[in-house]
Amino acid sequence: MAAMIMVVEDEPNIGALVRTYLQRAGYEALWVRSGEDALTELRRHPIKLVVLDIGLPDIDGFEVCRRIAGELPVIMLTARDEEPDRVAGLEVGADDYVSKPFSPRELTARVKAVLRRTQTVASEEVIELGPLRLARGAREVHVDGREVELTQREFDLLEYLLRNAGKVVTRDQLLESVWGFISPGETRTVEVHVAQLRKKLGRPDLIKTVRGLGYKASG
Ligand code: CA
């Protein structure tokens, strides 16, 4: 069964476009035009993810996000170059954002990545590798019993590596799955995050670099 996605956008052109993109990508799309409607319709349908505009006629996107984050994954629609909006969106619990104008491929790739991150997990709540223990529900990571504080992105990155433990994961694969980028080559971002993650874990040997290929988690 196709996952149902809610689009919250008051501008008719953008709303219709997003709905079409999502339908073409094989999702069921429910389009509502205000924050109030979003909160009402969420109770009536089995929504799996929300694509949320910030500027809405009644309750703005930030407030809607604040009320539903934690319950459902949210992708914010932001104006290009509005960095404060993106940061604020992530602070109120959005999982990702897409800047307008966006391409259909970009939007659907982000939706796919966020759904993959949020859906695969229910089945397996705790992943262990050597001294490392990742609890998905609590979003906690322990190494040798010591809790390690990670950012949301670092947590997602670690989780992806652990789910693929023993296998080589390429930088482009990480970009697509963890960041939702479809343009390969922006691998510096991955390298910086992996370096930071190793440092925080205090066990750099758990995430090995496979020269010329990518990374491999192994205990
Ligand atoms: Ca709007």
Side-chain angles (χ1 to χ4, degrees):
M1 208 182 77
M4 189 186 275
I5 295 173
M6 175 183 275
V7 181
V8 191
E9 169 63 271
D10 59 318
E11 288 164 60
N13 294 341
I14 300 177
L17 205 64
V18 172
R19 182 175 58 183
T20 308
Y21 290 167
L22 292 172
Q23 286 170 341
R24 278 194 200 143
Y27 298 107
E28 261 194 83
L30 177 71
W31 171 25
V32 298
R33 292 158 183 78
S34 74
E36 222 31 287
D37 287 351
L39 296 172
T40 310
E41 294 304 316
L42 273 176
R43 312 279 163 238
R44 297 188 182 153
H45 303 275
I47 306 290
K48 291 284 188 278
L49 180 145
V50 180
V51 175
L52 183 61
D53 187 35
I54 293 172
L56 295 168
D58 48 4
I59 313 171
D60 77 12
F62 293 127
E63 183 54 31
V64 175
C65 187
R66 202 172 283 124
R67 294 196 203 173
I68 63 177
E71 256 177 85
L72 276 173
V74 175
I75 296 178
M76 294 284 236
L77 296 180
T78 65
R80 173 118 13 233
D81 298 331
E82 292 289 336
E83 204 195 337
D85 279 358
R86 295 203 291 265
V87 173
L90 296 175
E91 275 173 4
V92 293
D95 292 83
D96 209 345
Y97 57 83
V98 177
S99 304
K100 295 177 189 176
F102 43 82
S103 72
R105 282 186 71 201
E106 186 186 0
L107 178 74
T108 50
R110 297 278 172 127
V111 166
K112 213 163 118 187
V114 170
L115 281 177
R116 197 188 296 137
R117 287 212 304 266
T118 51
Q119 281 193 326
T120 44
V121 289
S123 56
E124 205 179 342
E125 281 297 311
V126 174
I127 311 174
E128 286 179 298
L129 179 75
L132 185 66
R133 185 173 193 279
L134 178 145
R136 180 59 175 79
R139 286 190 86 78
E140 283 176 3
V141 172
H142 289 84
V143 177
D144 285 323
R146 169 184 64 93
E147 185 168 359
V148 181
E149 293 286 341
L150 299 181
T151 64
Q152 186 168 317
R153 192 73 81 182
E154 289 161 357
F155 186 94
D156 292 340
L157 174 62
L158 179 61
E159 185 186 344
Y160 189 85
L161 288 166
L162 292 180
R163 286 192 183 285
N164 292 282
K167 284 186 257 175
V168 177
V169 177
T170 68
R171 292 174 180 80
D172 282 341
Q173 218 173 320
L174 288 169
L175 271 178
E176 193 189 330
S177 305
V178 178
W179 277 263
F181 293 174
I182 47 167
S183 52
E186 292 181 55
T187 50
R188 181 78 190 129
T189 307
V190 177
E191 283 156 22
V192 170
H193 278 79
V194 168
Q196 186 65 18
L197 184 57
R198 280 175 173 152
K199 205 167 127 193
K200 286 190 177 178
L201 295 176
R203 283 286 307 263
D205 57 306
L206 293 173
I207 304 171
K208 296 173 178 67
T209 300
V210 183
R211 198 171 286 277
L213 289 173
Y215 304 99
K216 183 167 78 173
S218 65

